[in-house]
Coordinates of all heavy atoms in Angstrom, one line a residue:
K72 N 15.5 -17.2 41.5 CA 16.8 -17.1 40.9 C 17.9 -17.8 41.8 O 17.9 -17.6 43.0 CB 17.1 -15.6 40.7 CG 18.5 -15.3 40.2 CD 18.6 -13.8 40.0 CE 20.0 -13.3 39.8 NZ 19.9 -11.8 39.7
E106 N 28.8 -29.2 36.5 CA 27.6 -29.8 35.9 C 26.4 -29.7 36.8 O 26.5 -29.7 38.0 CB 27.9 -31.2 35.6 CG 28.6 -31.5 34.3 CD 28.8 -33.0 34.1 OE1 28.2 -33.9 34.8 OE2 29.6 -33.3 33.2
V124 N 18.8 -27.4 16.0 CA 18.5 -28.5 15.1 C 17.5 -29.4 15.8 O 17.1 -29.2 16.9 CB 19.7 -29.3 14.6 CG1 20.6 -28.4 13.8 CG2 20.4 -29.9 15.8
S150 N 25.3 -26.8 17.5 CA 25.1 -25.3 17.6 C 24.7 -24.7 16.3 O 25.2 -25.1 15.3 CB 26.3 -24.6 18.1 OG 27.0 -25.3 19.1
F179 N 23.8 -28.6 26.8 CA 22.6 -29.2 27.3 C 22.6 -30.7 26.7 O 22.2 -30.9 25.6 CB 21.3 -28.5 26.9 CG 21.3 -27.0 27.3 CD1 21.9 -26.0 26.6 CD2 20.7 -26.7 28.5 CE1 21.9 -24.7 27.0 CE2 20.7 -25.4 29.0 CZ 21.3 -24.4 28.2
T184 N 24.1 -38.7 26.4 CA 25.0 -39.6 27.1 C 24.3 -40.8 27.7 O 24.7 -41.9 27.6 CB 25.9 -38.9 28.1 OG1 26.5 -37.8 27.4 CG2 26.9 -39.7 28.7
S192 N 26.2 -28.6 31.3 CA 27.6 -28.4 31.7 C 28.1 -27.0 31.1 O 27.6 -26.5 30.1 CB 28.5 -29.5 31.2 OG 28.3 -29.7 29.8
V248 N 12.6 -7.4 -10.4 CA 11.9 -8.3 -9.5 C 10.5 -7.7 -9.2 O 9.5 -8.5 -9.2 CB 12.8 -8.4 -8.2 CG1 12.0 -9.1 -7.1 CG2 14.1 -9.1 -8.5
K342 N 40.0 -7.7 5.0 CA 40.3 -7.5 6.4 C 39.4 -6.4 7.1 O 39.1 -5.4 6.5 CB 41.8 -7.0 6.6 CG 42.7 -8.1 6.3 CD 44.2 -7.7 6.5 CE 45.0 -8.9 6.0 NZ 46.5 -8.6 6.0
F392 N 50.2 -20.4 7.2 CA 51.2 -20.3 6.1 C 52.6 -20.8 6.5 O 53.2 -21.6 5.8 CB 51.3 -18.9 5.5 CG 50.3 -18.6 4.5 CD1 49.4 -17.5 4.6 CD2 50.2 -19.4 3.3 CE1 48.5 -17.2 3.6 CE2 49.3 -19.1 2.3 CZ 48.4 -18.1 2.5
G413 N 43.3 -29.9 7.3 CA 42.7 -29.2 8.4 C 43.2 -27.8 8.7 O 42.4 -27.0 9.2
R438 N 37.7 -11.7 27.8 CA 38.1 -12.4 26.6 C 36.9 -12.8 25.9 O 35.9 -13.2 26.5 CB 39.0 -13.6 27.0 CG 39.9 -14.0 25.8 CD 40.8 -15.1 26.3 NE 40.0 -16.3 26.5 CZ 40.5 -17.4 27.1 NH1 41.8 -17.4 27.6 NH2 39.8 -18.5 27.2
I467 N 11.0 0.5 13.0 CA 11.9 0.1 12.0 C 12.0 -1.4 12.0 O 12.1 -2.0 13.0 CB 13.3 0.8 12.3 CG1 13.2 2.3 12.4 CG2 14.3 0.4 11.2 CD1 12.8 3.0 11.1
S471 N 18.0 -10.2 12.9 CA 19.4 -10.6 13.1 C 19.7 -12.0 12.8 O 18.7 -12.8 12.9 CB 19.9 -10.2 14.5 OG 21.1 -10.7 14.8
Y513 N 9.1 -12.2 16.0 CA 9.2 -11.8 14.6 C 10.3 -12.7 14.1 O 11.5 -12.4 14.2 CB 9.5 -10.3 14.4 CG 9.4 -10.0 12.9 CD1 8.2 -9.9 12.3 CD2 10.5 -9.9 12.2 CE1 8.1 -9.7 11.0 CE2 10.5 -9.7 10.8 CZ 9.2 -9.5 10.2 OH 9.1 -9.3 8.9
D524 N 19.7 -26.0 -4.7 CA 18.7 -25.6 -5.7 C 17.3 -26.0 -5.3 O 17.1 -27.2 -5.0 CB 19.1 -26.3 -7.0 CG 20.4 -25.8 -7.6 OD1 20.8 -24.6 -7.3 OD2 21.1 -26.5 -8.3
I538 N 3.6 -18.8 4.8 CA 2.6 -17.7 4.9 C 2.1 -17.5 6.4 O 1.4 -16.6 6.6 CB 1.4 -17.9 4.0 CG1 0.8 -19.3 4.2 CG2 1.9 -17.8 2.5 CD1 -0.6 -19.4 3.5
T540 N 4.3 -17.6 9.0 CA 5.4 -17.0 9.9 C 5.4 -15.5 9.7 O 5.3 -15.0 8.6 CB 6.8 -17.6 9.5 OG1 7.1 -17.3 8.1 CG2 6.8 -19.1 9.7
H679 N -13.8 -20.9 18.0 CA -12.9 -19.9 17.5 C -13.3 -19.4 16.1 O -13.9 -20.1 15.3 CB -11.5 -20.3 17.5 CG -10.9 -20.5 18.9 ND1 -10.4 -19.4 19.6 CD2 -10.8 -21.5 19.7 CE1 -10.0 -19.8 20.8 NE2 -10.2 -21.1 20.9
P686 N -7.5 -9.8 -0.1 CA -6.1 -9.5 -0.2 C -5.8 -8.2 -1.1 O -6.7 -7.9 -1.9 CB -5.4 -10.7 -0.8 CG -6.5 -11.6 -1.2 CD -7.8 -11.1 -0.6

Side-chain angles (χ1 to χ4, degrees):
K72 174 174 166 185
E106 276 179 14
V124 294
S150 314
F179 301 87
T184 302
S192 55
V248 169
K342 290 184 184 171
F392 273 124
R438 203 174 69 192
I467 301 293
S471 168
Y513 190 76
D524 294 333
I538 58 169
T540 62
H679 288 280

